[in-house]
Amino acid sequence: MKIISAAKGGLFIIELIRIISLAFLIILRANESAFSVIVVFAAPCVLFPLMALFIWLDADRYRAFTPLFIAGKSISAFILLGWFIITGQVTMFEGFVLSGDLFALALILIIKKDFNKIEEKKILTDAHNGGY
């Protein structure tokens, strides 16, 4: 149980570092002509740290966020890999973002597996006690 608690905290910290890095990058590019487009595409990334925070604070209540988080991270990693293949260039920052996505995806899959074990125990306990 301590490992899962650490995984939830680690997931939040990874997402927080990623969003702070993204904000710093956006601030550095504030004078570019495509600034508004960058902000529009980066804005949804704020939801990942929020979902990670809610999962960390009250996992039972916000269990429904895990499939959404998994889908978002999978899509993000797939798009980044496609972008790397098409452009043929990978910078250190882009590599950090991709590895962060893959690591966060691994952590949320571990957390979801723990949720499934807890759910199975509840079903077995309820069935043993005579019903739901």
Side-chain angles (χ1 to χ4, degrees):
M1 192 64 171
K2 289 182 181 182
I3 294 173
I4 296 302
S5 178
K8 291 174 189 175
L11 182 65
F12 173 68
I13 290 170
I14 288 170
E15 290 300 321
L16 192 61
I17 290 170
R18 289 187 66 243
I19 198 69
I20 289 171
S21 302
L22 184 62
F24 183 70
L25 183 67
I26 289 173
I27 289 170
L28 288 177
R29 295 183 179 219
N31 295 331
E32 292 183 10
S33 61
F35 176 71
S36 60
V37 175
I38 293 170
V39 170
V40 167
F41 285 121
C45 294
V46 175
L47 295 176
F48 288 110
L50 287 174
M51 285 189 290
L53 176 67
F54 293 145
I55 290 170
W56 184 28
L57 293 177
D58 192 357
D60 289 331
R61 176 184 258 177
Y62 299 107
R63 177 180 299 192
F65 286 166
T66 55
L68 180 63
F69 200 98
I70 291 169
K73 286 297 165 183
S74 299
I75 291 169
S76 177
F78 181 74
I79 289 172
L80 278 173
L81 284 173
W83 178 256
F84 292 162
I85 292 169
I86 290 170
T87 61
Q89 58 183 345
V90 178
T91 63
M92 194 163 139
F93 181 76
E94 291 168 340
F96 169 73
V97 170
L98 180 62
S99 63
D101 274 344
L102 294 175
F103 192 64
L105 183 61
L107 284 176
I108 196 67
L109 288 172
I110 290 169
I111 292 168
K112 179 149 177 62
K113 185 177 178 182
D114 184 62
F115 285 160
N116 291 342
K117 285 182 183 177
I118 292 171
E119 188 67 28
E120 287 175 8
K121 286 181 184 177
K122 286 182 183 177
I123 291 172
L124 290 175
T125 303
D126 289 342
H128 186 272
N129 291 336
Y132 291 56

